[in-house]
Amino acid sequence: MVSEIVSAYLKRVNKAFTLAEVLITLGIIGIVAALTIPTILNNMQEMVLNNQFKKFYSTFKQAFLTLQTIEGRPIKCFYWQESPYKGVCTSTCDVRNEYGECTSDLYCKETGNPLPADYMGSHSECRVLYNDVFKNRLKVAKICEENALSGGCLPENIKGSDIINAEKNPDGVYNPEGEFSDSKIKNTYPAIVLQDGTYIIKFGSKNSVGAVYAFDINGKKGPNKWGYDIYGTIFYGNSQNGIREFKSYGPIESGGKNLTTRLNLLGIK
């Protein structure tokens, strides 16, 4: 009796999985892994980018606001949060190119006169702001006043607005010399590389003034895509307080989020 019980027990213990059972199990594990690992990796990358975004954005914003605090006055480099010309003067353009961009002087529709110098905002101190912030308040490693790509300030795989828009809609026509276009970014716009490897692109030529920038929160590490680790921003403010707000501007690649959306998702004001 005892021998029969022991024999039955040993048979159960020594029973192995069949090859078919092993293959089925591995197949199930493979399917589950294929479905879950990409999501896990994407979530991890999103978390890392969010942390890098918060760190860089805090430094970037504080540099501009600190200057105003130290000066004890508003710095005139912004577009209007609330335009003083609203309802008084509407900008009008007579001539546009094939891309829908104005190529003639803008004028006031109501009066027929040229637009006031501060119609869009106050930009008289943008050059002062640029020199002070980037030379004295941010830890700058390198500046490319032009030819930022060949000068080593930008990654090889960065794309301009014309390339991005063409990828989204191949049937469209996009200005190769337009705002944040591939050529402008790589050959004309100045770029500033900070000591931690992050970089900032200044909209316009080295001699222009303006309140529009773009920044990459993790430098050349990648993905180097607009709306993922590259964000365009435009400064808004008023005469009493100077720069008060940063909003999104510039291209967004498929699946990306603009600056304003990213700030809202992270609860940053």
Side-chain angles (χ1 to χ4, degrees):
M1 180 68 178
V2 174
S3 62
E4 292 176 354
I5 293 175
V6 172
S7 178
Y9 173 76
L10 290 176
K11 287 181 179 180
R12 288 202 304 272
V13 171
N14 293 328
K15 185 178 181 181
F17 290 109
T18 65
L19 178 59
E21 290 172 330
V22 171
L23 293 176
I24 291 173
T25 302
L26 292 175
I28 293 173
I29 293 173
I31 293 172
V32 172
L35 293 173
T36 59
I37 289 178
T39 301
I40 292 173
L41 292 177
N42 287 337
N43 289 339
M44 289 177 62
Q45 183 185 47
E46 183 80 0
M47 182 177 66
V48 170
L49 289 176
N50 282 340
N51 289 334
Q52 291 172 333
F53 178 92
K54 287 186 284 188
K55 178 182 177 182
F56 180 88
Y57 182 77
S58 175
T59 301
F60 181 80
K61 181 179 180 180
Q62 196 60 40
F64 288 90
L65 299 183
T66 297
L67 176 60
Q68 294 185 128
T69 301
I70 293 174
E71 290 287 326
R73 64 182 180 84
I75 300 299
K76 297 177 181 178
C77 184
F78 53 80
Y79 289 85
W80 298 115
Q81 282 182 311
E82 292 291 337
S83 174
Y85 299 103
K86 185 177 181 180
V88 177
C89 181
T90 306
S91 65
T92 299
C93 176
D94 287 335
V95 182
R96 295 185 180 275
N97 61 20
E98 60 183 305
Y99 309 107
E101 301 164 345
C102 184
T103 56
S104 65
D105 291 334
L106 293 171
Y107 63 91
C108 183
K109 180 178 180 181
E110 288 77 4
T111 65
N113 296 326
L115 293 179
D118 64 346
Y119 179 81
M120 298 298 293
S122 185
H123 298 155
S124 61
E125 294 184 297
C126 285
R127 172 58 62 179
V128 174
L129 183 70
Y130 172 78
N131 287 333
D132 187 283
V133 168
F134 294 111
K135 291 183 179 179
N136 298 322
R137 304 193 186 282
L138 295 176
K139 297 178 180 179
V140 176
K142 184 177 184 179
I143 297 178
C144 296
E145 291 288 357
E146 55 190 358
N147 297 319
L149 179 63
S150 61
C153 288
L154 298 179
E156 293 286 343
N157 60 338
I158 189 173
K159 299 175 182 177
S161 58
D162 52 328
I163 305 299
I164 293 170
N165 290 329
E167 290 177 347
K168 291 180 179 179
N169 180 18
D171 296 328
V173 179
Y174 308 103
N175 189 354
E177 295 296 324
E179 294 184 351
F180 283 116
S181 68
D182 207 60
S183 175
K184 291 292 187 182
I185 290 173
K186 296 174 180 178
N187 303 317
T188 303
Y189 294 172
I192 303 99
V193 182
L194 305 185
Q195 290 180 8
D196 63 1
T198 57
Y199 61 84
I200 300 167
I201 301 170
K202 174 182 170 292
F203 178 87
S205 67
K206 62 181 179 180
N207 296 317
S208 67
V209 295
V212 179
Y213 288 81
F215 56 83
D216 189 312
I217 59 176
N218 61 358
K220 297 182 180 180
K221 293 180 182 179
N224 296 318
K225 296 174 65 176
W226 294 80
Y228 290 83
D229 57 343
I230 305 175
Y231 297 89
T233 183
I234 184 170
F235 305 165
Y236 282 90
N238 55 62
S239 298
Q240 292 73 36
N241 302 302
I243 301 170
R244 306 308 301 165
E245 189 176 10
F246 298 81
K247 291 186 178 182
S248 59
Y249 192 82
I252 298 294
E253 298 192 50
S254 296
K257 298 178 178 65
N258 65 34
L259 177 70
T260 303
T261 300
R262 181 68 66 186
L263 290 173
N264 290 335
L265 287 174
L266 296 176
I268 299 175
K269 295 182 180 181

